[in-house]
Amino acid sequence: MSGGSAMGGFSRIVLWGVKGVLLCALLLHLPGAEATLHGIKHTPVVDVNVYSKVAEINSSTQARFVPMFGAPGDIDSSRDDGSTIRLRLESHSGSGIVSQNSVFRGFFNAAIKLPCGVGGDSAGIVSAFYTSNGGTYPSNHDEIDMEFLGVRPGQPYVVQTNIYADGSTGTGREERFHLWFDPTVDFHNYSILWTYHHIVFFIDDIPIRRYVNRPEQGIQYPAKPMNAYATIWDGSTWATEGGQYHVNYTQGPFDATFTNFKLEGCVWDPTIQITPPECAMPTYKAWFNDNEMQEMSDKQLIALEWARSNFMWYSYCDDQERYPVHSPPECPRRLGNLNSIVTSGTPPSARKGPWRKTPKSKPVTRPKPATLPPVPGHKHKKRNKPSKFEASHYLPYSLWKTTFEVKLLKEDMIEN
């Protein structure tokens, strides 16, 4: 793992890797039956439902998240009847869990409270929620990443999105955003929608990035079932301002807490079922194949522009150091020099790459709709009261009804 139409639909907005030694499977004494992943038995840490969500069949199977790596005690599932997982980073090891079930197209969600050390120092720490099939397809794996990069005290947390397809690890598609809230105070929902037409990243139902499948242009796109992962690990060599600031373990322990896991889509284990199941066909009648799920509403487009104009400070499409002649084919075509590039509303700048120091300058601010959270000047703002946008406000699939419009029109979403 490293480290990114006038829409009339999407009216039902979606609900809400690191290698390591498999120690927790042997040392965690948790209730429940053992699960098997890639032929290895593990003690489950989290049980969630995985739905196929087809029109005629409402089938579900129990999905178990199992330990992937970590030392004894670094994975704690003792809270909330096992539905909340605390992953810990210590000097000897990070920790991570992986879903037993793999899903082909669909929706992945986790509500996360990110780590904050003593004095707010989280530099060098990488917390991640992502999908991957690297264990099944090591030479041509797919991956969709949301990585949260720790910062020095007083700096806004950074989320990095990235996409690999068919083993295209040589083409990093990183895009970086500053978060417009303090993610260490409350839980916030981080989501990935993956359909045959596009991939959309959400933060609290606000879309921040859209990656469209354009096979006619030879653009690589994830096309194999993936598992969901949650991890925390030491990324001191690159994560914070190009590796200038490392994890200060005297400020620990560093805990990332995950809850409200959701996996929705076509359940398919390619290690058992070689032939794709019927639900993997693009013509299959399922929610993730609906036409409206391939588009975005006008309000979502406004929100997407708001997030990218105000908070995206790096895009691989604008990086002339990495791509001096031609940017990857999915990027806007360059017209002359870098100053001619506009990537989804974010103005170009002299920023060269994700390894460089976070720039001091801000992107140009566009007018924002009144129903969107205010821009807090890219600084952490501690809330005086608990967030009204926590995991308990999650809407199930059966209640999908323009979640974005419903939630963003609530008065308690607006901070005056």
Side-chain angles (χ1 to χ4, degrees):
M1 208 173 41
S2 91
S5 71
M7 302 180 53
F10 234 85
S11 57
R12 302 175 302 178
I13 193 170
V14 288
L15 325 172
W16 345 85
V18 179
K19 297 179 181 178
V21 181
L22 297 170
L23 296 175
C24 295
L26 302 176
L27 298 168
L28 284 177
H29 302 287
L30 302 171
E34 288 187 326
T36 301
L37 180 71
H38 304 309
I40 304 174
K41 288 188 176 181
H42 307 278
T43 305
V45 231
V46 189
D47 285 351
V48 299
N49 286 327
V50 178
Y51 298 95
S52 61
K53 289 302 181 190
V54 298
E56 299 83 9
I57 305 170
N58 185 13
S59 63
S60 67
T61 59
Q62 200 73 3
R64 293 187 172 94
F65 276 78
V66 297
M68 182 173 62
F69 67 98
D74 285 345
I75 302 177
D76 179 9
S77 61
S78 61
R79 296 172 50 191
D80 302 327
D81 298 323
S83 63
T84 298
I85 303 300
R86 187 265 291 154
L87 300 180
R88 174 163 289 179
L89 169 66
E90 297 188 87
S91 58
H92 54 76
S93 176
S95 54
I97 58 177
V98 55
S99 67
Q100 177 195 13
N101 298 72
S102 54
V103 174
F104 181 67
R105 301 199 186 104
F107 176 77
F108 303 80
N109 179 85
I112 310 171
K113 183 188 288 186
L114 294 174
C116 180
V118 177
D121 186 359
S122 58
I125 300 170
V126 179
S127 308
F129 177 64
Y130 65 104
T131 70
S132 177
N133 50 33
T136 307
Y137 305 98
S139 60
N140 62 336
H141 86 287
D142 306 307
E143 191 169 314
I144 307 172
D145 296 335
M146 296 188 81
E147 297 171 312
F148 307 93
L149 312 182
V151 292
R152 293 179 293 125
Q155 300 298 312
Y157 239 98
V158 173
V159 58
Q160 174 170 282
T161 62
N162 201 358
I163 298 166
Y164 295 128
D166 200 29
S168 59
T169 54
T171 303
R173 298 180 178 88
E174 300 93 344
E175 289 190 344
R176 287 189 173 187
F177 303 77
H178 287 136
L179 293 177
W180 52 90
F181 50 84
D182 187 340
T184 70
V185 175
D186 295 315
F187 284 95
H188 292 266
N189 282 279
Y190 303 92
S191 315
I192 298 167
L193 174 70
W194 169 36
T195 73
Y196 71 85
H197 181 63
H198 61 188
I199 295 166
V200 185
F201 296 85
F202 296 91
I203 298 177
D204 286 338
D205 265 358
I206 296 174
I208 64 168
R209 180 179 183 181
R210 185 189 189 207
Y211 182 86
V212 179
N213 183 17
R214 295 188 177 95
E216 71 282 359
Q217 298 180 20
I219 295 173
Q220 293 161 317
Y221 192 80
K224 298 180 289 295
M226 292 188 275
N227 297 82
Y229 295 78
T231 61
I232 183 172
W233 47 285
D234 188 330
S236 292
T237 58
W238 64 274
T240 303
E241 301 184 26
Q244 296 182 64
Y245 299 92
H246 294 194
V247 178
N248 183 355
Y249 286 101
T250 66
Q251 303 294 310
F254 299 105
D255 295 339
T257 309
F258 296 76
T259 190
N260 196 32
F261 288 100
K262 297 294 171 185
L263 283 73
E264 306 254 351
C266 176
V267 180
W268 173 17
D269 184 351
T271 63
I272 299 174
Q273 192 173 4
I274 305 300
T275 304
E278 187 180 2
C279 63
M281 301 296 105
T283 55
Y284 192 65
K285 193 172 182 180
W287 69 263
F288 45 84
N289 288 332
D290 288 349
N291 287 336
E292 62 181 357
M293 298 304 293
Q294 319 310 319
E295 300 295 340
M296 298 177 73
S297 70
D298 289 340
K299 285 193 174 183
Q300 286 178 317
L301 287 175
I302 292 172
L304 179 69
E305 173 68 12
W306 173 83
R308 296 177 73 80
S309 295
N310 288 293
F311 301 105
M312 188 178 80
W313 58 268
Y314 172 82
S315 173
Y316 70 108
C317 288
D318 295 344
D319 194 329
Q320 285 192 312
E321 186 170 303
R322 296 172 70 188
Y323 306 107
V325 180
H326 298 292
S327 55
E330 66 271 12
C331 295
R333 187 169 62 90
R334 290 178 180 172
L335 302 175
N337 59 32
L338 183 63
N339 293 326
S340 302
I341 302 174
V342 176
T343 303
S344 300
T346 299
S349 73
R351 300 186 276 275
K352 295 295 186 181
W355 55 87
R356 297 300 178 90
K357 188 174 182 179
T358 302
K360 294 181 180 179
S361 60
K362 297 179 182 178
V364 173
T365 301
R366 304 286 182 88
K368 62 183 177 64
T371 53
L372 286 166
V375 180
H378 290 184
K379 292 186 182 297
H380 286 273
K381 183 176 180 181
K382 189 172 182 179
R383 299 178 185 272
N384 295 322
K385 59 182 181 179
S387 169
K388 300 295 184 182
F389 214 1
E390 295 186 10
S392 59
H393 290 269
Y394 144 82
L395 293 180
Y397 174 87
S398 60
L399 297 180
W400 276 7
K401 185 180 180 182
T402 57
T403 311
F404 174 74
E405 298 175 43
V406 172
K407 292 198 178 298
L408 292 186
L409 289 174
K410 287 186 177 180
E411 284 188 6
D412 57 16
M413 281 288 299
I414 309 300
E415 295 182 18
N416 297 317

